[in-house]
Every structure is written in structure tokens, then in C-alpha cells.
Amino acid sequence: MRMRAHWPKRSLHYEPVPLSATQTPMLSWRVILPFVLTGSIWGSTWFVITGQIDGVPAAWSVFYRFALATPALFLVAFLMKRRLKLTRPEHMLAVIVGIFQFSGNFLFVYHAELYVTSGIVAMMFGLLMVPNALFGRLFLGEKVRLGFVLGSMIAIIGVSFLLMHEWRANPDAGVVGGNVGLGIVLALFGILAASVANVIQANPTGRAVPMVSLLAWAMLYGTVFDLGFAALTAGPPPFPTDTGYWLGIVYLAVIGSVVTFPLHYNLVREIGAGRAAYNSILTISVAMLISTVFEDYQWTWLTAGGMVLAVVGMVLALRAKIR
């Protein structure tokens, strides 16, 4: 494609970091603390989402989450002294990223968790690196190493075992209602939406905008879209009286969407984007642990083997990606 020759290579998800940023020792508390905090928090958010879709339309819960998170993220950008004034092309990019990331991605995820155990959805999202690599190769000309392909195939097989068990355990009805097959399809669409957002923000226009500023504006545009979608598909906005519901909204918006952001990007600066990506392993491990304790997830030889294969495959793929 013509654009391929003009788009500089850029790792998806993250802003470029200088080589000196990777010199901080991995066992330093400057690395360990944000690594554990972000992985644990993100791992817990998958379960918290289940409390947001119990009796409340998922679309409205997505809107409430980002209606609260958006001003907080703008405040973070302001405190970090990042420019908030965008050019017209930058605003157009923010609109597209917002629709795919903060609307499509999360709307699909919330609806997927109506039918599939939250930890399994988290495991599926651990494979986000696969479409990222494919789209990166197609649009940005990034190389895909053989080790990454082999590791990804092992991870896909492992996740398939987990999904097979989920299907067998819920042949007629999902975790809340409906069917597991629909939940799997919705989760896959969520993964694709997130991947498209990652690739789009990696173009030259996106590289010229501070990441936190781009995401703040993208979140604002996505929130507006979420409002319209919820109003059209779910009727008038509900106002649950359950305190736990609103505490969950605050947790997802502030802790899960805003507090972890500067922690994660500081981690990227300290050890580099490639090594920081290992955080996804901790995230899915925490998510599966929580599902085991609070969602009564039943382990079998099939699921245990699938978990091992998925984690080993992801580690192998990530190792190949950062070499």
C-alpha cells in the first residue's frame, strides 16, 4: 500500500522510549511496585465489570464509567503538562480512536461478560498481541518473527482449551444468560476493535500528539458515542440505588482507567515497552484467580493445561517480539 512506505515503524500501544529507559534494574522498587499495582488492578477490573451488568444495561454502564473517567484523564494530562490543544487532523484521529477503543471495545467486552466468565474474557484479550502484529505488519510494515508466530499459536491453542471447557460447562445458557458462543464472538469483536485503535493511533498524526492528550480527547469522543448508543438501544438512563454499583463505577473509572495510566507509562519509560508488556501475564493470572474465588470457576485438567499453554505461549511470543 502507498501509505506503508511513509509510516515509520512504531510499536503498538506505547510511545517510543529512549534506549536509556531500559537500564533500570527489573528488581528495583521503581519497577516492581507499578508492575504489581497495574497488573493487579487491571486483573480485578474484569470481575468488577460483572457487577456493572447485573440488572443494568451494559451500554449505560460503559457510559457512566467513561463519563467519570474523562474529566479525570484530562486532569492527569494537565498535571503532566501535556498540550491539550489538538489540530483538526488530530481531533479526527481522536474521534476514530475513541469510537473503536472507548466505545466498540468496551461495549463488546461488557456484553461478552453477560455470557462468558470474566477471567476467560481476560485470557482472550491476552491474545490482543496477535491482531496487533498482523495489522502492524499490514499497515506499518513491522516484522513478525517466527518465534512470535509459534508462541502465538501455542497461546491460541491454550485459550481454545479454556473456551472449550466454558462451552461444555454452559451448553445452553451462559454465565448470566444467553449462550457462550455469542459471548466468544462479542469478545473477539472487542479484541479487533481494540487492535484497530492501537494501529490507528500509531500513524504519524498520532505520534505527534502526547499519548495522554490523545487518549483524553478520544475518551471524550467515545463517551459521547456511548451516550448516543445507550439512549438508542437501552432506553432512558437507569439510576441504580445499589451503592456497590456506583462504587464499582468509581473503581473502574478512577482506579482502573486513570490511576493506572501514569503508573503504566512510567513503567514503560523505566524498562521499555517490550518488557512492560509482560504485565499482561500478571493481569490474566489475577483475573483467573478472582474468577476461581468469586465466580466459582471450576478447574479441570483441560483448563489447567489450557492456562499453562496460554501463558507459556504469550511469554514466548513476547520474548520474540522484544528481541
Side-chain angles (χ1 to χ4, degrees), residues 4-137:
R4 179 174 165 179
H6 298 286
W7 284 15
K9 296 179 181 179
R10 177 191 182 189
S11 296
L12 303 181
H13 296 298
Y14 310 108
E15 292 177 302
V17 294
L19 293 178
S20 60
T22 63
Q23 300 304 310
T24 302
M26 289 292 291
L27 295 181
S28 167
W29 282 108
R30 292 170 59 186
V31 172
I32 295 176
L33 187 58
F35 191 95
V36 172
L37 282 176
T38 55
S40 300
I41 291 171
W42 283 338
S44 68
T45 57
W46 298 93
F47 174 71
V48 177
I49 288 174
T50 62
Q52 306 296 295
I53 55 179
D54 186 8
V56 179
W60 279 114
S61 289
V62 172
F63 167 73
Y64 289 149
R65 173 177 180 171
F66 292 120
L68 179 60
T70 297
L73 191 54
F74 270 100
L75 177 60
V76 169
F78 175 78
L79 294 176
M80 293 176 66
K81 298 181 179 179
R82 300 294 190 263
R83 70 174 176 92
L84 288 171
K85 185 176 181 180
L86 305 187
T87 65
R88 183 174 180 179
E90 291 168 349
H91 273 293
M92 292 302 298
L93 175 64
V95 170
I96 298 173
V97 172
I99 290 176
F100 277 99
Q101 180 65 44
F102 298 110
S103 294
N105 173 30
F106 282 91
L107 286 170
F108 282 126
V109 166
Y110 274 54
H111 284 89
E113 289 199 22
L114 287 168
Y115 314 112
V116 180
T117 304
S118 64
I120 300 300
V121 179
M123 286 292 301
M124 292 180 68
F125 265 78
L127 299 176
L128 180 63
M129 59 186 176
V130 176
N132 279 354
L134 295 176
F135 288 146
R137 173 60 180 167

Side-chain angles (χ1 to χ4, degrees), residues 262-296:
L263 287 176
H264 176 70
Y265 277 93
N266 182 68
L267 186 65
V268 170
R269 289 195 296 268
E270 294 288 345
I271 64 176
R275 290 178 176 83
Y278 282 104
N279 197 274
S280 62
I281 306 299
L282 176 59
T283 297
I284 61 177
S285 298
V286 171
M288 288 303 296
L289 175 61
I290 292 176
S291 287
T292 301
V293 175
F294 295 104
E295 293 182 281
D296 195 28

